[in-house]
Amino acid sequence: MNLKSTKGDSKLITIYWFAILFIIAAGIVYITFNFYGKPYDIRKEEASLLLNKASDCFSKGGYLEEGFLGKLADFDTCRFNFNSEFGNDEYYLEVKIFNFDSLSLLKTYSKGNEALTIGCEIPSEKNPVCINEAFFSIDRSKNKYKIEITSIVRKIE
């Protein structure tokens, strides 16, 4: 009689064993779909990096780089690469230099797809990510300037 009772116990344990395996497999499938289900959105970080690179190009050590107020400098001196796997119209960067005292616009630099600025008014997943920041700088003659930078990254696909 002991043999019959152990066979019944092993069948009962087998059912629990399969139930536990099913729960573990379902958990692994759920975690995998959660992890790979939707892509990461790093557009904000990419726009922030673009903005930081522009600020480093225009102002080093708190001083406005010489030539950016004249006709000599342009975005080519900053070596921006706006090529993307989606095409060349995924980025826009605009830098405005103002006189600090009168806040009059002295110079504007822009590069990229200017049409992206329209999507900045309404934040949405389908619109580009826009970051606006401003900082202050001086030149070697101690003239003060306000520099506003707008960085936009589309990459919606």
Side-chain angles (χ1 to χ4, degrees):
M1 289 206 173
N2 284 342
L3 292 176
K4 289 184 179 180
S5 68
T6 57
K7 284 185 179 180
D9 288 343
S10 67
K11 287 182 182 178
L12 188 63
I13 291 173
T14 304
I15 293 171
Y16 285 122
W17 185 71
F18 278 117
I20 289 172
L21 283 178
F22 177 75
I23 291 170
I24 291 172
I28 291 172
V29 168
Y30 174 76
I31 290 170
T32 304
F33 277 118
N34 254 354
F35 187 74
Y36 292 110
K38 64 179 184 180
Y40 293 110
D41 188 9
I42 60 166
R43 294 179 297 162
K44 186 173 183 179
E45 288 78 12
E46 195 171 359
S48 180
L49 286 172
L50 185 61
L51 188 134
N52 287 339
K53 183 172 167 69
S55 65
D56 288 343
C57 179
F58 276 80
S59 178
K60 292 190 183 162
Y63 289 100
L64 182 68
E65 284 292 311
E66 292 183 29
F68 278 113
L69 290 176
K71 296 180 180 180
L72 299 176
D74 58 0
F75 269 141
D76 293 335
T77 60
C78 296
R79 297 184 185 160
F80 289 111
N81 182 5
F82 284 178
N83 294 334
S84 167
E85 63 271 12
F86 300 112
N88 293 334
D89 59 345
E90 300 293 322
Y91 301 99
Y92 179 70
L93 183 65
E94 181 178 65
V95 179
K96 294 181 181 179
I97 303 174
F98 295 91
N99 184 340
F100 179 76
D101 298 324
S102 65
L103 290 179
S104 60
L105 181 64
L106 300 175
K107 194 83 171 174
T108 300
Y109 293 94
S110 64
K111 185 172 183 175
N113 185 3
E114 192 172 354
L116 296 178
T117 57
I118 297 169
C120 288
E121 290 136 13
I122 304 170
S124 167
E125 287 184 15
K126 297 292 183 187
N127 288 344
V129 172
C130 308
I131 297 178
N132 299 316
E133 287 195 14
F135 64 94
F136 300 98
S137 184
I138 58 174
D139 61 7
R140 301 291 177 193
S141 304
K142 305 295 184 202
N143 296 321
K144 299 175 214 164
Y145 301 99
K146 177 182 177 186
I147 301 173
E148 291 182 357
I149 302 176
T150 302
S151 174
I152 302 173
V153 176
R154 186 175 84 167
K155 289 192 175 179
I156 297 170
E157 289 81 18

